[in-house]
Amino acid sequence: MLRALILWLALAGAATAQDARGDARAAAEQLSRAAAALDAARGAGDRIAALTGVVRAYEDGLSALRDGLRQVSIRERALGADLAAREAEIGRLITALQTIERAPGPLLLLHPSGALGTARSSMLLAEVTPALNREAATLRADLAELQQLRALEEAAVDSLSKGLSGVQDARAALSEAITDRTPLPERFAGDAARVEDLLGRVDTLQAFADGLGTLAPSDAAPLVLPLPWPVAGTLLRRFDEPDAAGIVRPGIVIATAAGALVTAPAAGTIRYAGPLLDYGNVIILEPRPDALLVFAGLSEVYGRAGEIVAASAPLGLMGGASPSAGDFLRDALSGGGASRPETLYVEAREAGRPVDPAAWFATDRDE
């Protein structure tokens, strides 16, 4: 049973390594497809929709590549630790193999006690030699796998450089396309003065959202839940969960990569777009009457108050400087955390009251 367990662990390790290498290669191929799509999107009839898809494809590819490289790194460290722990055993194995290789075959079988001892040594050698060969084959396989993992990490630098450059180009092209687009349909043109007056009178995001709720609602279609998440990232803080300073806010915080694209989870009317207090740039979307989605902390916003946007339309970009390929690779191989993430604050409101936004969206972001 012990031998069976050892064999199972070896096979499981090999399968994990194969999966990690496969994931990393698949992510690199995804980035290559995104590069080809970027060229096509520049000449597409609906450049904004096409470029939005390209930016998301790049972000998904980079995220997948980070995850794949992380798994590769975990396997590499485990393999290196295993080889280091077996250093003495490997030394004895190499010495035994070198002795067998140098010594003539007949001398290995001779024994000073005579024919009986020679027969016994022959039987022992017949047992030991295949075991040594198996150990040598395992060692060769481990060293070959370690070499492959390190070669994959080196090859990833090229994919990373192209992917990081490509996503920057796609974001710039998207911003340009939005600047060049014809004005979107608008509602509530007469509310602009009331919004400006409201900005001068409030000192919290909640008060501003409450004030917006008193303006005439749109006639948007009913909201169908669940919604897709507005940005690629990880749930950092839940609804009403205190932060490090003990401050509780009626929304969720999503950690994102620098420059991540924020899109509309549903069609709706932009009720506000621009800087607000100390929240950075804020977009408030009304997806249905008496409901608001607040997105705070953006670096760049697309659109203006009154515009009607479709589901998945780009709303803006997160801030932060994109990492270099070297920084990205170090973060991935070390398990992340070296590069400071950006944070998007999301608040959902119904009938003037905040509700848990996580209940509106399709999946949990703890993963």
Side-chain angles (χ1 to χ4, degrees):
M1 184 171 291
L2 179 59
R3 290 179 180 176
L5 179 60
I6 293 172
L7 177 61
W8 181 85
L9 289 172
L11 292 175
T16 301
Q18 186 64 35
D19 290 344
R21 291 196 296 269
D23 290 346
R25 291 192 181 101
E29 291 170 2
Q30 186 175 353
L31 290 174
S32 296
R33 291 194 296 272
L38 176 58
D39 292 335
R42 295 182 191 277
D46 188 346
R47 280 198 304 154
I48 293 176
L51 288 167
T52 299
V54 169
V55 172
R56 275 293 172 87
Y58 266 118
E59 291 179 349
D60 291 344
L62 287 168
S63 178
L65 187 58
R66 179 187 288 109
D67 292 341
L69 286 174
R70 187 169 297 144
Q71 293 303 316
V72 166
S73 177
I74 291 171
R75 175 58 182 164
E76 180 185 0
R77 289 197 296 269
L79 196 56
D82 180 61
L83 289 171
R86 292 161 50 199
E87 185 175 0
E89 176 188 341
I90 291 170
R92 290 192 297 271
L93 170 63
I94 292 173
T95 300
L97 291 173
Q98 288 175 338
T99 300
I100 292 174
E101 183 180 12
R102 287 195 301 265
L107 290 180
L108 291 172
L109 299 177
L110 292 178
H111 195 275
S113 65
L116 183 58
T118 298
R120 287 176 176 170
S121 66
S122 176
M123 294 171 62
L124 181 60
L125 189 60
E127 289 287 335
V128 169
T129 302
L132 290 176
N133 286 334
R134 285 194 297 271
E135 287 291 328
T138 300
L139 177 60
R140 282 195 299 270
D142 288 347
L143 292 173
E145 182 185 342
L146 191 59
Q147 187 176 17
Q148 290 173 4
L149 293 173
R150 289 175 176 168
L152 181 60
E153 290 171 5
E154 293 172 4
V157 174
D158 183 56
S159 295
L160 278 174
S161 298
K162 292 178 179 177
L164 292 170
S165 175
V167 73
Q168 288 293 89
D169 290 345
R171 287 168 180 158
L174 177 60
S175 296
E176 180 182 351
I178 289 174
T179 301
D180 294 342
R181 73 182 174 187
T182 56
L184 293 175
E186 290 190 12
R187 294 191 180 105
F188 317 120
D191 282 345
R194 296 178 63 188
V195 170
E196 285 297 324
D197 177 65
L198 186 61
L199 281 171
R201 291 187 290 107
V202 301
D203 57 2
T204 66
L205 176 62
Q206 182 174 352
F208 183 71
D210 288 342
L212 280 182
T214 66
L215 301 182
S218 71
D219 54 357
L223 189 62
V224 179
L225 302 179
L227 302 175
W229 285 78
V231 68
T234 303
L235 186 62
L236 187 63
R237 196 151 43 250
R238 296 178 179 275
F239 179 75
D240 277 349
E241 181 180 349
D243 62 16
I247 298 173
V248 175
R249 290 189 175 90
I252 61 175
V253 177
I254 302 174
T256 78
L261 177 65
V262 180
T263 57
T269 303
I270 297 176
R271 301 310 300 263
Y272 180 77
L276 179 62
L277 304 174
D278 60 347
Y279 287 90
N281 281 316
V282 173
I283 285 221
I284 299 180
L285 181 70
E286 185 181 58
R288 71 177 182 201
D290 224 13
L292 295 174
L293 279 169
V294 180
F295 307 105
L298 292 85
S299 174
E300 182 177 355
V301 293
Y302 301 140
R304 57 183 181 272
E307 287 185 342
I308 304 167
V309 297
S312 301
L315 296 179
L317 297 174
M318 300 301 295
S322 294
S324 66
D327 290 339
F328 186 103
L329 186 62
R330 279 192 294 274
D331 281 0
L333 298 182
S334 66
S339 297
R340 180 180 179 275
E342 297 297 309
T343 54
L344 178 71
Y345 175 73
V346 181
E347 191 171 304
R349 304 178 70 84
E350 287 187 291
R353 300 179 61 183
V355 296
D356 187 355
W360 286 31
F361 295 103
T363 57
D364 198 294
R365 282 300 168 101
D366 281 330
E367 300 175 0

